Amino acid sequence: MKNIINKVISLKIKLLTFLVGLVLLPIGCTDLEEEVYSEVTESSFTPSESDIISVMASAYTPMRFVMGWQGYFDLQEEPGDMFVTPTRPNGWDDGGTYKRMHFHEWTETQWQPRNTWISCFNGINSANRVILQIESGELPVSEEQAASIVAEMRALRALYYSMLVDTHGNVPIIASYSDELPVQSSRTEVYNFIVSELTEVIPSLTETVDQSTYGRMTKWAAYHVLARVYLNAEVYTGTPQWSKVIEACNEIINSNAFELSPSYSDIFKTENETNPEMVFAIPYDQIFAGQWNAHMKMLLPDHRLVFDMQAQPWGGSSCNPQFIDSYDPNDNRLEDTWLMGDQLNASDGSVVMTLRKEMPSIYDCDFTDGFRCGKYEIEPGATGGLSVDFPFLRYTDVLMMKAEALLRTNKGDEAAAIVTEVRMRSFEDPAQATVTGAELEGDTTVEYGTLAEDGTIDDPGDQSAVPYGRFLDELGWEFAAEARRRSDMIRFGVYQTKNWYNHTPQGEHTTLFPIGLEELNTNTNLSQNPGY
């Protein structure tokens, strides 16, 4: 049975984690007053040394929103060129929320951006609360333990901020637990804060990679977050930091703590906690650590028979056929990622339904229109949640970040060697897995343009070549359905310029989401992002 923070915490600690989370969970990013959700209050809870990990767990728990309902997964995938949630015979208009995400016409009341804001600031406030408890002496720990815990909480706080600087940009920097209304910072200031925090705490973070540190911020996870922030530095600040990307990635590579998984599909199995790629995982468990329900949105109701599920999925989102057509048919990641064609009954092998690639229009699709995501293992008997740990930071990303930085600094052959290494596990023929620097520097293979109902290009839109577009394709094929497509598209200039499916560009301002209306009304120190 999987644990909430690592695989060796007992059931007693799991239950205590839940109670402590209720005690310490703040109710918002701009209102830091506690709301007591149970009879266990701060005044009645005195943690012992054995309870410290449970207190820390309250800061990690909000990360589970990533694969939750309209969580970070939706925020990163619905606006991109891969996932679409059209109107179906069983509904899915949902007040137009998914159409707004696809068309980039969201408003300041759109839930997906607000959910990311609220969840990240819940995590930030919880991390600040743990730091306050340590620094005030409220928790009985040694000086050495105190330094380690504070470093870990600051690194986790930086992780949350790395998500916010990408999605909302101009957000408050809250570095202490306080009841004062926070002041808004610029995107560059938030970027500098993340870099400064991670740089300061990395020497104090553990290098241990085992069950005791699983799902927690280690030195290598901190370097990984730092590399990601450097990777997008030009987007965040206007100044690229490619050499720093390579330096941070090399720290992880040279640690020899991780390696490529021999099997691509094994990374996404239910029992994936020992996979050698896991730099930072978000642990999920159907019983003790829920919220993983993205699969319920991606699978059809009759997939209950295909996977012998207890729950019946809802059948909403599917893959844009333009992205499917970009795959090399010999790339095993196509079959490892997407459910296509005949779907067979788990009990007798009969055809339950047949999925087709085509999707006529976001306004009207049949149940079986569009290939569905099957990347994450569905256990027999699965309920409304999964127990697959989400690989938020995995080793392949380290290699690909280094490859991209090399490619962008005129070291195409070195980049190609790394990309070829990654591709090797997904091709039967090594020759087909091999790529060159010149290929990676070339245009994307995705045929952009809005689609007519018959699947032909209706409005081609901007057809200019995408610099390093083939490398962007590699990122798409490798990291499909891993809550990152939006960020990658922005970095390559595709998100804000290209047409796809029924989407046309809406302007540069859409690279940031609006700050929620409720947050603006609650905190007068906040100003709306430009363009909204």
Side-chain angles (χ1 to χ4, degrees), residues 172-421:
I173 297 173
I174 307 175
S176 62
Y177 198 86
S178 169
D179 58 2
E180 296 182 3
L181 288 178
V183 177
Q184 191 171 21
S185 297
S186 70
R187 197 180 200 184
T188 297
E189 288 171 334
V190 178
Y191 166 87
N192 290 335
F193 174 75
I194 297 167
V195 170
S196 174
E197 285 288 286
L198 291 173
T199 302
E200 287 184 22
V201 304
I202 278 174
S204 300
L205 293 170
T206 181
E207 298 182 4
T208 301
V209 178
D210 60 17
Q211 288 186 333
S212 70
T213 60
Y214 185 78
R216 296 171 60 180
M217 289 299 293
T218 63
K219 176 178 289 189
W220 317 121
Y223 269 124
H224 197 142
V225 176
L226 187 60
R228 273 198 181 181
V229 172
Y230 283 144
L231 185 72
N232 292 286
E234 188 169 15
V235 174
Y236 302 157
T237 71
T239 303
Q241 299 289 352
W242 305 121
S243 64
K244 291 183 178 180
V245 173
I246 295 171
E247 290 172 8
C249 290
N250 281 340
E251 290 287 349
I252 304 170
I253 294 168
N254 295 336
S255 74
N256 295 316
F258 311 95
E259 60 185 37
L260 286 174
S261 172
S263 165
Y264 182 77
S265 60
D266 281 355
I267 304 168
F268 313 102
K269 297 290 189 184
T270 300
E271 299 299 329
N272 61 350
E273 62 270 19
T274 59
N275 192 278
E277 289 217 13
M278 293 296 198
V279 179
F280 178 80
I282 303 175
Y284 287 89
D285 185 277
Q286 289 190 48
I287 298 173
F288 296 106
Q291 295 187 38
W292 179 298
N293 57 28
H295 68 296
M296 297 292 286
K297 182 181 168 215
M298 295 186 283
L299 301 180
L300 282 161
D302 283 347
H303 273 118
R304 176 178 60 86
L305 303 175
V306 175
F307 294 106
D308 191 22
M309 301 173 64
Q310 291 186 33
Q312 178 173 288
W314 311 318
S317 59
S318 49
C319 188
N320 175 11
Q322 292 163 289
F323 183 75
I324 293 293
D325 287 341
S326 72
Y327 278 91
D328 182 330
N330 296 303
D331 188 342
N332 291 330
R333 290 172 297 190
L334 175 61
E335 185 175 348
D336 287 339
T337 303
W338 305 104
L339 300 174
M340 306 173 290
D342 290 345
Q343 305 294 289
L344 305 182
N345 192 309
S347 62
D348 60 17
S350 62
V351 176
V352 175
M353 59 189 159
T354 300
L355 299 178
R356 71 187 201 112
K357 180 181 64 177
E358 290 72 25
M359 298 168 59
S361 167
I362 195 171
Y363 296 99
D364 184 19
C365 279
D366 202 350
F367 284 115
T368 55
D369 289 342
F371 293 159
R372 306 307 172 96
C373 181
K375 188 169 190 173
Y376 301 96
E377 183 180 27
I378 309 294
E379 281 186 287
T383 61
L386 292 184
S387 296
V388 179
D389 294 347
F390 183 70
F392 194 83
L393 305 174
R394 64 181 176 95
Y395 185 61
T396 302
D397 185 35
V398 177
L399 298 179
M400 294 296 278
M401 285 191 291
K402 180 177 179 179
E404 182 176 338
L406 289 168
L407 187 67
R408 291 180 183 270
T409 53
N410 301 315
K411 299 181 179 65
D413 290 342
E414 292 181 53
I418 295 174
V419 175
T420 297
E421 179 187 4

